Amino acid sequence: MKTYDKIIFELSKEGRQGYSLPKNEYKKNSLNALPKELMREKPAELPEVSELDVVRHFTNLSSKNFGVDTGFYPLGSCTMKYNPKINEELCVLPEFTSLHPLQDEESVQGALELYWNLQNMLSEIAGLEEFTLNPYAGAHGELTGLMVMKKYHESRGDKKRTKVIVPDSAHGTNPASAMVAGLEVVEVKSKPNGSIDVEDLKPLLDDTVAGIMMTNPNTLGMFETEINDIAKLVHDAGGLLYYDGANLNPLLGKVRPGDMGFDIMHINLHKTFSTPHGGGGPGSGPVGVAAHLVKHLPNPRVVKDENGKFHIEASDDSLGSISTFLGNFGVMIRAYAYILSLGKENIKNVGPLATLNANYIKESLKDDYLLPIEGVCKHEFVFDGLKDKSTEVTTLNVAKRLLDYGFHAPTIYFPLLFHESMMIEPTETESKDTLDEFIDVMHKIAKEAKETPEVVKEAPNNTIVRKLDETTAAKNPILTFKALKESQQ
């Protein structure tokens, strides 16, 4: 093992240190001294290492990470696309980072203007009346949107509407968000192509239904061609339509959810509008609504008066506050720069290029991989494992083997409609050269699965870490060095 493949605690040597604290200028009995009950009785268990050890250790670890800046990341339903570095530079300008949320609004007019402009840009893109940028993530946006839905029905005295219809192919956060919002989940079946079965939907629509949650294109990457009929059925039953914005990328500048009949939607700024979001954050899940729902958006709201000044306001009709202050401002700066850079004339190219790339991979690989749904997909598509399953090479095996060739694996075993699902989303930022390399490797793996299946089944073979016992890791995670030492004894 190389020195810097060790855990940082294993590099520890007694008496070694990489810092020097300033001399305590305060007497023990001064007002600045910590209360006795808050002081440690013994030193914290920290590694004793030099600054050089620390720098080399974490730099070495970072070089082992896989990300969109290091390779192709075809993760279905997550839109892991390249984020222009200029957006990163803009969001860390001191004029932004030195602001404080409690400053008087007169001193932050520029920030409020950016917020207000972005609200309006998203409203135009989505075809909705107004957005709030307060939610911190996509699932948080879902919850906020469902709270708007619930507040709307309750404000009209229609308190028996407590059910939300969710497709059986939905993203997992949909039913979870509905439950957290205090709503009952009712499942509607999908047809073989992943589209909602309208005939199965009809009998579910009664006066207890608050609304339906959908994404379009759906989870299988296919456009819901009956969306106008679905919207009419739900609205006629007194319900609202919620749009899960996870799959908005292929529609940018071409189709607007509001024009399809959706009343509420969230957008993943960190997926569609430029923010690196691997590893759990940061994120932002703005929520947009139709005109009749604006008054129920969460507090606070940014508004512009007749003199061009921006203000932060609260409304008595609001569902209340769902976050501290006004959301993740750094993510908003990135999204604002991204939209301005593309402009109206170029944002409409995002969807077609994402769709072109997805269909190119799909058509190139369907001779080796089982394609359960024929036809033109949008930004993503799903294979049902290898076509030739005679050697029992699974989707998991294929995914692990991809790591040996330097590619991140796609989403696997989701959606649950197929036993060996492999969801691939190339995004619009990948070149044909990269797509061709990926296609070539996928063909090689299919050939290996026939001729040398054990090589694929044992993968990954040349990564830093081999195949892990994921079940044990999930059930019995070892999160500290102390626990690791105890497990090895």
Side-chain angles (χ1 to χ4, degrees):
M1 178 186 291
K2 295 179 182 177
T3 299
Y4 293 98
D5 283 335
K6 294 181 179 179
I7 296 171
I8 191 73
F9 276 92
E10 293 175 326
L11 298 174
S12 179
K13 300 290 183 184
E14 187 175 351
R16 187 177 290 175
Q17 62 184 34
Y19 65 91
S20 177
L21 293 176
K23 186 177 180 180
N24 184 8
E25 297 177 0
Y26 304 101
K27 296 179 180 179
K28 287 185 178 180
N29 297 326
S30 74
L31 294 175
N32 297 290
L34 282 172
K36 186 176 180 181
E37 62 270 19
L38 296 181
M39 296 184 71
R40 287 185 174 276
E41 295 181 0
K42 58 181 181 179
E45 292 186 55
L46 299 174
E48 297 180 67
V49 291
S50 70
E51 180 177 326
L52 181 57
D53 289 334
V54 174
V55 171
R56 284 178 175 170
H57 174 72
F58 286 105
T59 301
N60 182 61
L61 283 182
S62 71
S63 70
K64 294 178 172 64
N65 286 338
F66 191 100
V68 75
D69 286 354
T70 59
F72 183 36
Y73 211 128
L75 195 62
S77 268
C78 270
T79 314
M80 297 288 281
K81 62 186 181 183
Y82 176 74
N83 300 287
K85 293 298 172 280
I86 189 172
N87 301 345
E88 299 299 305
E89 295 174 16
L90 292 173
C91 78
V92 295
L93 289 172
E95 289 82 358
F96 290 128
T97 58
S98 62
L99 297 179
H100 192 282
L102 293 178
Q103 282 183 234
D104 184 272
E105 62 185 35
E106 281 292 326
S107 68
V108 289
Q109 283 293 298
L112 296 181
E113 181 177 0
L114 187 154
Y115 190 104
W116 191 82
N117 285 344
L118 183 56
Q119 285 180 176
N120 284 279
M121 288 175 173
L122 296 180
S123 296
E124 175 63 25
I125 289 168
L128 294 170
E129 183 68 21
E130 188 171 321
F131 267 79
T132 174
L133 309 184
N134 295 8
Y136 289 130
H140 193 198
E142 283 183 15
L143 175 61
T144 301
L146 290 167
M147 290 169 70
V148 169
M149 183 184 291
K150 189 176 181 181
K151 179 75 173 179
Y152 166 74
H153 290 303
E154 290 178 348
S155 70
R156 298 165 63 249
D158 202 351
K159 296 184 179 181
K160 63 179 176 294
R161 292 189 179 273
T162 59
K163 297 178 180 177
V164 172
I165 298 172
V166 178
D168 58 6
S169 64
H171 298 128
T173 51
N174 287 184
S177 296
M179 292 291 287
V180 174
L183 297 165
E184 181 183 344
V185 176
V186 177
E187 187 177 270
V188 61
K189 290 183 173 58
S190 298
K191 293 186 287 189
N193 68 351
S195 298
I196 287 176
D197 188 334
V198 176
E199 294 307 312
D200 189 61
L201 172 65
K202 289 177 180 178
L204 303 178
L205 294 170
D206 57 26
D207 61 2
T208 66
V209 171
I212 185 171
M213 298 184 79
M214 295 175 58
T215 184
N216 194 16
N218 60 38
T219 309
L220 298 179
M222 307 301 288
F223 192 83
E224 294 275 0
T225 57
E226 296 180 277
I227 183 58
N228 290 335
D229 295 334
I230 293 171
K232 187 176 188 308
L233 286 168
V234 174
H235 285 149
D236 286 350
L240 300 176
L241 272 76
Y242 182 95
Y243 184 89
D244 176 350
N247 291 352
L248 179 64
N249 206 54
L251 304 187
L252 286 187
K254 287 292 185 182
V255 181
R256 308 193 308 174
D259 297 338
M260 291 186 249
F262 287 96
D263 305 285
I264 309 168
M265 75 172 291
H266 87 270
I267 293 176
N268 294 311
L269 283 191
H270 50 285
K271 291 183 182 181
T272 312
F273 296 104
S274 181
T275 290
H277 65 285
S284 179
V287 171
V289 295
H292 60 293
L293 301 172
V294 168
K295 64 182 179 181
H296 300 310
L297 286 173
N299 288 326
R301 289 170 57 202
V302 174
V303 298
K304 183 179 182 181
D305 67 22
E306 58 187 14
N307 298 316
K309 291 281 188 179
F310 298 93
H311 305 280
I312 300 173
E313 292 186 354
S315 166
D316 292 337
D317 294 317
S318 166
L319 61 83
S321 177
I322 51 87
S323 61
T324 307
F325 307 113
L326 293 167
N328 277 336
F329 190 60
V331 180
M332 298 171 203
I333 298 169
R334 294 177 176 97
Y336 189 61
Y338 177 85
I339 295 171
L340 286 178
S341 297
L342 289 176
K344 280 187 176 182
E345 65 276 20
N346 288 314
I347 200 168
K348 64 185 179 183
N349 293 327
V350 171
L353 288 173
T355 299
L356 177 65
N357 284 354
N359 280 277
Y360 179 63
I361 292 178
K362 173 174 65 72
E363 293 299 312
S364 299
L365 292 177
K366 67 180 185 179
D367 288 342
D368 281 335
Y369 295 85
L370 184 60
L371 182 65
I373 300 175
E374 292 285 351
V376 177
C377 66
K378 296 305 173 191
H379 63 307
E380 64 189 6
F381 61 93
V382 178
F383 284 131
D384 190 6
L386 285 159
K387 241 183 181 179
D388 184 351
K389 302 185 189 312
S390 62
T391 57
E392 299 182 342
V393 170
T394 66
T395 283
L396 177 62
N397 298 147
V398 173
K400 295 295 186 183
R401 185 59 172 153
L402 270 170
L403 305 182
D404 283 333
Y405 286 101
F407 289 104
H408 195 282
T411 299
I412 59 173
Y413 299 115
F414 179 81
L416 304 178
L417 297 176
F418 308 113
H419 185 63
E420 290 287 329
S421 289
M422 185 185 302
M423 182 188 286
I424 297 173
E425 179 184 3
T427 80
E428 76 281 0
T429 56
E430 298 297 339
S431 68
K432 184 176 180 294
D433 296 334
T434 299
L435 301 184
D436 285 338
E437 289 176 18
F438 177 73
I439 290 166
D440 182 56
V441 165
M442 288 290 281
H443 282 310
K444 285 180 181 177
I445 294 173
K447 185 178 180 181
E448 290 173 343
K450 293 178 184 178
E451 299 175 357
T452 54
E454 293 309 311
V455 172
V456 184
K457 291 178 181 179
E458 292 171 3
N461 300 290
N462 56 21
T463 52
I464 295 165
V465 178
R466 297 292 303 279
K467 189 175 290 186
L468 304 175
D469 183 347
E470 296 174 6
T471 302
T472 301
K475 289 182 176 180
N476 302 299
I478 298 174
L479 304 177
T480 66
F481 183 67
K482 183 177 180 181
L484 176 63
K485 286 195 295 184
E486 291 173 353
S487 72
Q488 295 171 340
Q489 291 174 354

